[in-house]
Amino acid sequence: MKSLLFLVLISVCWAEPHPGNSSLEHERIVHIQENGPRLLVVAEQAKIFSHRGGNVTLPCKFYHEHTSTAGSGTHKIRVKWTKLTYDYLKEVDVFVAMGHHRKSYGSYHGRVSLRESSENDASLVITNIMLEDYGRYKCEVIEGLEDDTAVVTLNLEGVVFPYSPRLGRYNLNFHEAQRACVEQDSVIASFDQLYDAWRSGLDWCNAGWLSDGSVQYPITKPREPCGGKNTVPGVRNYGFWDKDKSRYDVFCFTSNFNGRFYYLIHPTKLTYDEAVQACLKDGSQIAKVGQIFAAWKLLGYDRCDAGWLADGSVRYPISRPRKRCSPSEAAVRFVGFPDKKHKLYGVYCFRAYN
């Protein structure tokens, strides 16, 4: 046992002359280091901003404490990237690398890789950004028994908009709300996205689902029907509700698009079916609600003509408020869900670029 203890001490100790009295040849300071240099993982930026269709690099580098080396050389480095859920309780696998072995998962397949600009660079490159890519990512580096992590948030430029279907207010359970957003070229918004939209002026009195399963709504101008006139502005929280049985509206999030959004110049007003065919004849498709909001918010699209959209609603985007065209504020104005067979309007179309 004594010989074993002696060998252990030999492996973790070294000596150097005492700096205060170098003439004392035999006096030494003994350093004891139990586990060797500690592995550190660092993200140079905590938040990265991008947009749908873009490419982005999530930064991550690893070091050994008090050294400039990337690894000890005795163990292979394993790099693992995961996406964190809103409550940090679950992780979605994104990418794993060890030596020459690489593996990507799910919707990230073929879109992710390591940058590897240096031997200690574990940064993740994501191409062709999707709306679903928004969120927090964890970079984990493992070497033998050592490991460390760093978290990076990927934010997307975009717009949050409230949505309710033709059936009217409070008719969507959580799963229907998710599908409704996807059908309108968007995804269900996160709390952070709704909060940022509220800070930018979004005011909406109907409660809607968010991606974490909570139900909330943003108020910038307190009033009696919306939590009370004497309350402070903020994002009102109804809490978490039964995702199958409870019914509310939904807040969706969309980003820019690779295509052309436009109002179709047509000699006559159209029924809904005629509007769909007119867009097709023009080499396009009838536009979706997410596309009109993205064109309005991100491109400044402005048109005072009400037009059909894919969900059967009629809306028009105003970025320059003026008389007869949303005089009080810039907004996507909602006319309603008119009778598809008898009511006549213009139409907004969308043509995707290859």
Side-chain angles (χ1 to χ4, degrees):
M1 182 67 184
K2 289 182 179 179
S3 61
L4 177 60
L5 179 60
F6 176 76
L7 288 173
V8 171
L9 287 174
I10 287 295
S11 67
V12 298
C13 302
W14 74 91
E16 67 182 26
H18 192 291
N21 191 359
S22 59
S23 64
L24 298 178
E25 182 178 336
H26 300 294
E27 185 172 346
R28 298 287 188 270
I29 297 175
V30 177
H31 300 264
I32 299 178
Q33 188 162 311
E34 297 180 352
N35 297 315
R38 186 164 65 91
L39 180 68
L40 297 177
V41 175
V42 178
E44 296 164 337
Q45 292 176 262
K47 288 186 178 181
I48 300 295
F49 292 85
S50 188
H51 55 83
R52 177 167 56 177
N55 302 329
V56 71
T57 299
L58 305 184
C60 180
K61 291 189 175 182
F62 57 96
Y63 309 90
H64 280 87
E65 195 174 28
H66 307 310
T67 75
S68 60
T69 59
S72 65
T74 59
H75 299 282
K76 282 188 176 182
I77 299 291
R78 182 173 186 260
V79 176
K80 182 178 182 181
W81 279 91
T82 55
K83 187 179 181 185
L84 303 174
T85 56
Y86 69 92
D87 56 6
Y88 285 80
L89 296 179
K90 295 181 181 179
E91 297 181 17
V92 177
D93 289 339
V94 175
F95 184 81
V96 175
M98 186 172 180
H100 297 295
H101 300 286
R102 304 282 191 273
K103 186 174 182 179
S104 53
Y105 296 86
S107 64
Y108 296 95
H109 184 69
R111 297 193 299 121
V112 290
S113 61
L114 293 185
R115 182 173 61 180
E116 297 181 301
S117 62
S118 62
E119 63 178 5
N120 67 325
D121 186 6
S123 302
L124 185 72
V125 178
I126 308 177
T127 61
N128 192 22
I129 294 289
M130 301 165 59
L131 295 177
E132 295 82 0
D133 293 342
Y134 166 89
R136 296 177 178 88
Y137 291 79
K138 185 176 79 173
C139 172
E140 181 178 17
V141 179
I142 304 166
E143 183 185 22
L145 299 178
E146 290 278 330
D147 73 278
D148 195 22
T149 62
V151 175
V152 183
T153 298
L154 173 59
N155 285 335
L156 299 183
E157 178 188 29
V159 56
V160 171
F161 61 94
Y163 186 78
S164 58
R166 175 178 287 275
L167 294 173
R169 181 175 179 259
Y170 294 173
N171 268 288
L172 300 170
N173 67 25
F174 178 77
H175 311 290
E176 292 166 342
Q178 285 182 309
R179 288 195 296 271
C181 288
V182 171
E183 289 170 358
Q184 299 311 314
D185 192 43
S186 59
V187 293
I188 188 168
S190 69
F191 169 76
D192 289 341
Q193 289 169 333
L194 181 64
Y195 180 77
D196 288 343
W198 167 73
R199 292 187 62 187
S200 298
L202 180 61
D203 182 279
W204 196 255
C205 201
N206 292 350
W209 291 104
L210 296 177
S211 60
D212 62 359
S214 67
V215 176
Q216 309 195 37
Y217 64 100
I219 295 297
T220 59
K221 301 182 286 291
R223 49 203 184 274
E224 284 304 331
C226 306
K229 183 170 59 176
N230 298 320
T231 59
V232 296
V235 178
R236 308 277 194 263
N237 190 345
Y238 276 17
F240 295 88
W241 290 82
D242 188 306
K243 291 183 177 181
D244 296 312
K245 297 179 181 179
S246 300
R247 295 190 171 272
Y248 292 96
D249 292 347
V250 63
F251 289 98
C252 302
F253 173 84
T254 192
S255 185
N256 63 344
F257 44 70
N258 184 28
R260 178 190 173 213
F261 173 89
Y262 62 101
Y263 181 82
L264 180 64
I265 304 301
H266 196 273
T268 62
K269 299 298 184 182
L270 307 163
T271 65
Y272 177 80
D273 290 338
E274 290 170 342
V276 171
Q277 292 303 313
C279 286
L280 290 173
K281 187 176 180 180
D282 201 50
S284 305
Q285 292 183 327
I286 188 169
K288 299 178 178 181
V289 176
Q291 291 162 347
I292 194 173
F293 272 95
W296 164 72
K297 182 69 173 181
L298 304 177
L299 302 178
Y301 195 92
D302 181 281
R303 184 90 192 192
C304 200
D305 294 293
W308 291 106
L309 295 174
D311 67 338
S313 66
V314 172
R315 309 173 193 246
Y316 60 99
I318 298 298
S319 59
R320 294 179 285 104
R322 53 199 183 276
K323 189 177 180 180
R324 299 182 182 178
C325 297
S326 186
S328 60
E329 62 179 354
V332 174
R333 308 305 296 183
F334 176 62
V335 176
F337 285 94
D339 185 315
K340 289 183 175 182
K341 293 184 178 180
H342 300 100
K343 295 297 183 179
L344 304 177
Y345 291 95
V347 62
Y348 288 96
C349 303
F350 178 79
R351 181 180 301 149
Y353 295 149
N354 294 328

